[in-house]
Amino acid sequence: MERVSTGIGELDRKLIGGYPVNKVTLITGIAGSGKTIFGIHFIYKNCLEGKKCMIIATEETPEDILYQASLLGRDLKPFLESGQLIIEKVFENRSQMIGQTRYGFKPESLDIEIPSLIELIQEGTECLVIDNIGTFALKISIKKLRDQFDALNYLVRKRGCTALLIMDESAHNITHQLAEYSVYGTIRLLVRENSYLGKMERYLSIPKMRSTPISPEMSIFEITSEGIKIHESGGGNLAE
């Protein structure tokens, strides 16, 4: 199977080359676990390789994303200015609509169905990040949510995109982790205390990645000024 680089060397090795092409991978985790940073690595690496990339941002402004990327040594600004990278400003639009409702506008204008996000994807987009998809998952029934995730996955693949869906852990748990059933693979990020060292550490696990031999073991990772550094772990089982 063809792969697209994750932008993180150690993760590429774990996934036998990267994320599966033209498939959807879900990244979940609590606030501060590094979800958005995984998306930045993916976008930056594939911009460098000449691919057309897009971020649909529901919780941050383009300026926030550019600044965060620069702190990791990944300057996205040239790609944005050239048009190779597009950041769709759903956060700003959503914030504006919330403000308008306080002055008499109808609250229905806030409702966005998950499959309709496909309408925002620019023609020719090869690599896509939607951050945070959980924003759209909290106001609908479980049955409708599963249908909408299935529809989004189908439409993204039909567009020829390799996509990361980033979802906060609270929304993921409230929706009974249904998103995992629709996507091709899942990466979970955790923050836990290391009782031996007496400090908090970040962990990564890959519970699902179809057609990929993956280790069931968790790996410790760090967020540094040079980006994400994952400590290697052994083992490997084929995930169905």
Side-chain angles (χ1 to χ4, degrees):
M1 175 178 287
E2 189 179 353
R3 307 276 170 163
V4 175
S5 176
T6 67
I8 304 167
E10 298 92 340
L11 187 55
D12 281 351
R13 287 189 284 275
K14 287 178 178 295
L15 298 178
I16 321 300
Y19 302 124
V21 167
N22 199 26
K23 306 295 184 185
V24 178
T25 299
L26 177 72
I27 297 183
T28 66
I30 65 170
S33 58
K35 303 182 299 297
T36 295
I37 296 175
F38 274 75
I40 287 172
H41 277 71
F42 172 59
I43 291 296
Y44 179 75
K45 174 65 172 179
N46 286 285
C47 279
L48 283 179
E49 294 185 354
K51 296 183 178 70
K52 186 172 182 179
C53 299
M54 185 173 185
I55 300 172
I56 297 177
T58 72
E59 294 186 327
E60 295 185 90
T61 66
E63 292 75 19
D64 291 336
I65 294 169
L66 293 176
Y67 178 67
Q68 191 169 5
S70 69
L71 294 178
L72 301 167
R74 285 156 174 80
D75 186 6
L76 292 175
K77 190 174 181 180
F79 305 114
L80 187 66
E81 291 176 342
S82 70
Q84 185 183 343
L85 168 64
I86 294 171
I87 301 178
E88 182 65 36
K89 299 180 285 188
V90 174
F91 170 81
E92 293 181 357
N93 296 338
R94 192 163 61 93
S95 299
Q96 184 179 24
M97 286 188 287
I98 290 171
Q100 288 173 345
T101 60
R102 295 173 181 167
Y103 296 95
F105 288 80
K106 293 182 178 180
E108 296 86 65
S109 62
L110 296 174
D111 294 332
I112 301 176
E113 292 200 337
I114 290 172
S116 68
L117 293 172
I118 201 73
E119 298 171 8
L120 302 176
I121 301 174
Q122 298 291 317
E123 189 70 30
T125 298
E126 297 171 87
C127 295
L128 170 70
V129 170
I130 302 178
D131 183 8
N132 172 353
I133 193 74
T135 301
F136 306 102
L138 298 177
K139 293 184 179 181
I140 58 179
S141 69
I142 296 300
K143 170 64 169 63
K144 189 174 181 181
L145 177 66
R146 176 62 189 271
D147 291 343
Q148 288 198 11
F149 265 110
D150 286 346
L152 178 65
N153 275 273
Y154 170 76
L155 292 169
V156 165
R157 295 196 304 269
K158 192 173 180 181
R159 284 287 186 98
C161 294
T162 302
L164 292 188
L165 302 185
I166 295 173
M167 191 174 195
D168 62 278
E169 187 175 276
S170 59
H172 190 46
N173 290 335
I174 288 170
T175 56
H176 305 284
Q177 302 182 354
L178 274 180
E180 290 194 25
Y181 294 94
S182 297
V183 296
Y184 201 78
T186 304
I187 295 174
R188 292 178 183 165
L189 308 181
L190 305 92
V191 180
R192 292 182 176 176
E193 182 180 4
N194 185 320
S195 58
Y196 294 101
L197 300 177
K199 68 176 184 178
M200 302 300 289
E201 291 185 320
R202 292 181 173 89
Y203 294 84
L204 173 150
S205 69
I206 309 172
K208 171 184 175 181
M209 192 64 67
R210 294 189 180 116
S211 305
T212 307
I214 53 175
S215 169
E217 299 176 9
M218 290 194 295
S219 300
I220 297 174
F221 72 94
E222 299 176 88
I223 300 173
T224 75
S225 60
E226 297 179 348
I228 290 173
K229 305 294 181 184
I230 299 176
H231 299 278
E232 295 286 359
S233 62
N237 293 314
L238 186 64
E240 297 298 334

